[in-house]
Amino acid sequence: MNLKKVGAVVSSISLLASLAAVAPAFAHGAKTASHVVKHAKSKPIVIGFVPGVTTDPFFISMEYGAQMEAKRLGVQLVYEGGVTYSPSNQTPYVNAMVARKVSALAIAPTDLQAMIPPIRNAVKSKIPVITVDSTISDTALLASRITSNNAQGGAAAADFIGGFARGKGVVAILSPSPGISTDKARVAGFTAELKKKYPHMQVVVEYDNEQSTQAIQLAQDLSLRFGNKLVGIFGTDDTSASGAAEGIRASGKLGKVKIVGYDAEPAEVQDLKQGLISALIAQKPMEEGMLAVQYAVAAAKGQKVTKFVQLANVTITKANLAKNAQWEYRSTM
């Protein structure tokens, strides 16, 4: 997110304070950045971090938090990844971290199943692994999982659209893929909340394969298929949300079909300001990155960490955007 420098400093201080309650205890506290924290055997701690991609504002924000925390703790952070969100692209980076013999590995897996073998290989190499944001299905391999409360975020989106539509009409979900743990949980949270509170609404789920052009086309197809019955679209990530907004605009249904998007990336925030998107469910990637590094350092020392952490999301609208500016994602480091 394009935070001003002063805003970033204030936000960082606030985030560090909020994480104090959940951070693992350190026996002697953090050393200064000029000294590298070492293992009991005097081996410097090196934390490997493999994001889903390196170019997305969500992961840029995560890296910002991770780098800030690594500096605070005095450890080396190796943050490396590709520009394509796929297991085939991500696996070589995990293998490289294993070959480098990092002290611990934090990773945002790009698939629930496909990323199990490289992560298992890291664990077999005595490297503790922490997943951040997304995860894998074999959670027994992991030292910890850190993510936003995706089911809660999906439920918040359902409440926004269901309330606007007064419990009537058709609502669609656009999601990248059923194989991504975070998006899968958002879909589940949305559908469960809608069934519970708005049982007369119809739900349709479509997948856009993380392609903006597909999301645009799907939104236009949904508009044609359901006509005035279509009251809302929930995009489970930034590509799905922005694509849905553009598709609905092109269909002439802007304002009639409410778009709720996940994340608070710069393009989405602009869509929110312009009225293309009605609400955003913002995560806290900087906090996730900071906490991942804290837990990775603790795991590298052989300390126990909390097995599962969920951070609450924030619902942002045009009306409350100014009060929630600290949750907008970064576009640069």
Side-chain angles (χ1 to χ4, degrees):
M1 56 185 166
N2 289 321
L3 290 174
K4 295 180 180 179
K5 290 184 178 180
V6 173
V9 173
V10 173
S11 177
S12 299
I13 294 171
S14 175
L15 293 177
L16 285 170
S18 67
L19 286 172
V22 294
F26 295 95
H28 303 291
K31 295 186 178 181
T32 63
S34 61
H35 296 82
V36 178
V37 174
K38 298 183 178 181
H39 292 274
K41 296 181 180 180
S42 298
K43 180 182 178 181
I45 289 182
V46 179
I47 304 302
F49 205 128
V50 180
V53 291
T54 56
T55 53
D56 186 89
F58 176 85
F59 290 109
I60 292 172
S61 301
M62 183 177 288
E63 181 184 5
Y64 184 85
Q67 294 285 7
M68 185 166 54
E69 189 64 9
K71 183 178 181 180
R72 187 182 79 87
L73 295 176
V75 300
Q76 181 182 353
L77 178 68
V78 181
Y79 192 97
E80 294 178 351
V83 296
T84 302
Y85 194 96
S86 71
S88 61
N89 186 270
Q90 189 178 48
T91 296
Y93 290 97
V94 178
N95 293 340
M97 293 294 183
V98 174
R100 185 171 181 155
K101 298 181 180 179
V102 293
S103 310
L105 174 66
I107 178 175
T110 51
D111 190 88
L112 274 165
Q113 301 297 330
M115 291 310 298
I116 291 176
I119 287 175
R120 182 184 291 119
N121 183 43
V123 174
K124 286 182 178 179
S125 300
K126 308 300 182 183
I127 298 173
V129 178
I130 294 166
T131 58
V132 56
D133 182 43
S134 52
T135 192
I136 55 174
S137 60
D138 189 358
T139 58
L141 290 171
L142 308 174
S144 181
R145 292 180 290 149
I146 301 167
T147 187
S148 67
N149 191 332
N150 293 288
Q152 173 259 323
D159 285 331
F160 187 93
I161 294 176
F164 160 77
R166 298 181 180 180
K168 299 179 181 179
V170 177
V171 59
I173 301 174
L174 291 189
S175 189
S177 164
I180 302 173
S181 64
T182 48
D183 294 280
K184 186 175 182 179
R186 293 164 196 170
V187 172
F190 185 95
T191 54
E193 185 75 358
L194 214 66
K195 183 178 180 180
K196 177 182 176 182
K197 292 187 178 179
Y198 311 100
H200 300 296
M201 297 189 76
Q202 180 182 348
V203 183
V204 179
V205 182
E206 300 282 358
Y207 296 101
D208 56 40
N209 298 306
E210 198 75 34
Q211 299 297 315
S212 179
T213 54
Q214 287 191 36
I216 293 170
Q217 187 61 55
L218 284 169
Q220 291 175 321
D221 292 346
L222 288 163
S223 180
L224 286 173
R225 193 193 322 173
F226 296 106
N228 293 332
K229 291 182 180 180
L230 183 67
V231 295
I233 298 178
F234 172 40
T236 67
D237 78 344
D238 60 302
T239 301
S240 300
S242 293
E246 178 58 28
I248 290 301
R249 185 199 63 76
S251 299
K253 297 292 183 66
L254 187 62
K256 296 179 181 178
V257 178
K258 296 294 183 182
I259 308 295
V260 176
Y262 224 92
D263 294 313
E265 304 207 356
E268 289 179 293
V269 173
Q270 281 301 115
D271 286 345
L272 182 69
K273 291 178 179 178
Q274 295 172 7
L276 296 175
I277 289 178
S278 299
L280 295 172
I281 310 299
Q283 302 181 80
K284 300 173 181 176
M286 279 199 295
E287 285 196 29
E288 290 186 31
M290 293 166 70
L291 193 55
V293 170
Q294 288 186 16
Y295 276 31
V297 170
K301 293 179 177 181
Q303 298 173 357
K304 290 185 178 180
V305 294
T306 304
K307 291 288 291 183
F308 183 42
V309 176
Q310 292 187 104
L311 302 178
N313 300 284
V314 179
T315 300
I316 301 177
T317 63
K318 190 174 182 179
N320 69 12
L321 178 60
K323 295 181 180 179
N324 290 292
Q326 71 269 32
W327 305 120
E328 296 177 38
Y329 300 173
R330 303 178 65 87
S331 58
T332 63
M333 283 291 290

